[in-house]
Amino acid sequence: MEITSATTAGKANYVKGLDDEEAEEKKTQETTAEENAVQETEPDKVTLTQDDTYDEAAVEEKVNNYIQNFLANPKLTAEARAALQTYLNDFDAAAFIKSYGPFESVRDISAAMYAVTAGLIKYQEEE
């Protein structure tokens, strides 16, 4: 009988230990669920860091490539070619980024360039 009670006491302590672990795990899961719920209810916030955006040198390179693609078109009028070349020669990357940036992708730069140069680009067929 003494062995049985010792065994029963040991089992009781073991089961108690399991119950404590399960309660702690459940509490951790609830805390995680609450944190996720708080994050889901907050509006999407976009924080741009220096690593996420293009710097002046990269923007200048992309703008140069954008303009060069138009200048390579043989159907571009002489006036449009001159206007694009003048824009490229006078291009200020810092002012461009300040006006239209910050840029997260090449697509953003292209969209801004389209807005700036749309009136400058004329083809011979359009005259």
Side-chain angles (χ1 to χ4, degrees):
M1 182 127 180
E2 290 178 45
I3 295 174
T4 307
S5 62
T7 304
T8 305
K11 285 182 183 179
N13 287 337
Y14 176 76
V15 171
K16 183 181 177 191
L18 289 177
D19 290 343
D20 291 343
E21 288 178 8
E22 288 174 3
E24 186 176 323
E25 184 177 317
K26 185 175 180 181
K27 183 178 179 182
T28 303
Q29 288 174 353
E30 288 173 358
T31 303
T32 305
E34 288 174 14
E35 290 172 358
N36 290 340
V38 168
Q39 289 175 355
E40 290 174 3
T41 59
E42 290 182 1
D44 291 337
K45 294 180 184 178
V46 177
T47 304
L48 298 178
T49 64
Q50 208 59 354
D51 296 337
D52 295 338
T53 60
Y54 283 83
D55 64 356
E56 289 179 24
V59 168
E60 194 163 344
E61 177 187 349
K62 301 302 179 194
V63 166
N64 184 37
N65 291 341
Y66 184 88
I67 301 263
Q68 292 301 326
N69 284 336
F70 284 109
L71 293 175
N73 189 332
K75 294 183 180 183
L76 197 64
T77 64
E79 296 84 20
R81 190 176 303 281
L84 287 171
Q85 191 62 49
T86 301
Y87 180 81
L88 185 59
N89 292 340
D90 296 339
F91 182 73
D92 181 10
F96 185 73
I97 292 170
K98 187 176 180 181
S99 296
Y100 298 100
F103 301 110
E104 297 178 49
S105 68
V106 175
R107 183 175 37 166
D108 293 342
I109 297 170
S110 295
M113 282 303 298
Y114 178 78
V116 170
T117 62
L120 302 175
I121 300 169
K122 303 265 188 238
Y123 296 101
Q124 293 174 0
E125 298 170 347
E126 294 179 358
E127 289 186 341

